[in-house]
């Protein structure tokens, strides 16, 4: 296995020592000290597997807050727009809201 395939925090063996990956090409040895691991080096994951990557944080958005923020933005944009641009801006607003319904 190559270093770029291991997630940060994964443990592996290289040159007879156990390391923990700390960066894209760096690792810390169990006995202390940091080392750069060549990209071409073949590594053996400790215990035969690597830890799964940390789950990405998911953030739920409140629909009412999103719409309120959009309407506040739209009101400011309308106030700053002159002439025929207001009609185009209102059409863009309608398209945006319609896309939310799909």
């Amino acid at each position: 296995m190559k270093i770029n395939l291991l997630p940060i925090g994964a443990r592996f063996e290289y040159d007879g020592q156990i390391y923990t990956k700390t960066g894209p090409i760096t690792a810390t040895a169990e006995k202390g000290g940091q080392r750069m691991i060549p990209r071409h080096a073949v590594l053996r994951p400790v215990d035969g597997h690597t830890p799964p990557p940390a789950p990405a944080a998911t953030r739920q958005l409140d629909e009412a807050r999103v719409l309120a923020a959009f309407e506040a933005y739209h009101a400011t944009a309308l106030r700053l727009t002159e002439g025929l641009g207001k009609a185009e801006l209102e059409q863009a607003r309608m398209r945006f809201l319609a896309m939310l319904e799909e």
Side-chain angles (χ1 to χ4, degrees), residues 38-100:
R39 293 186 194 275
H40 67 274
V42 178
L43 313 174
R44 186 181 66 79
V46 173
D47 301 326
H49 67 281
T50 60
T58 57
R59 181 177 174 199
Q60 296 295 324
L61 297 177
D62 176 41
E63 182 179 349
R65 288 185 68 198
V66 171
L67 288 175
F70 174 73
E71 291 298 344
Y73 167 83
H74 182 69
T76 301
L78 275 177
R79 187 172 40 82
L80 297 173
T81 304
E82 295 180 16
L84 297 176
K86 287 187 178 197
E88 290 179 41
L89 189 57
E90 188 57 35
Q91 288 175 354
R93 176 182 172 272
M94 298 306 287
R95 285 192 305 271
F96 175 84
L97 294 174
M99 289 176 71
L100 294 178

Side-chain angles (χ1 to χ4, degrees), residues 6-66:
L6 294 172
I8 301 292
R11 294 177 32 156
F12 61 92
E13 182 181 338
Y14 177 64
D15 280 348
Q17 290 189 25
I18 304 295
Y19 292 91
T20 301
K21 183 175 177 179
T22 57
I25 60 169
T26 57
T28 301
E30 275 189 338
K31 297 177 182 177
Q34 195 163 25
R35 179 175 181 176
M36 291 181 66
I37 307 297
R39 293 186 194 275
H40 67 274
V42 178
L43 313 174
R44 186 181 66 79
V46 173
D47 301 326
H49 67 281
T50 60
T58 57
R59 181 177 174 199
Q60 296 295 324
L61 297 177
D62 176 41
E63 182 179 349
R65 288 185 68 198
V66 171

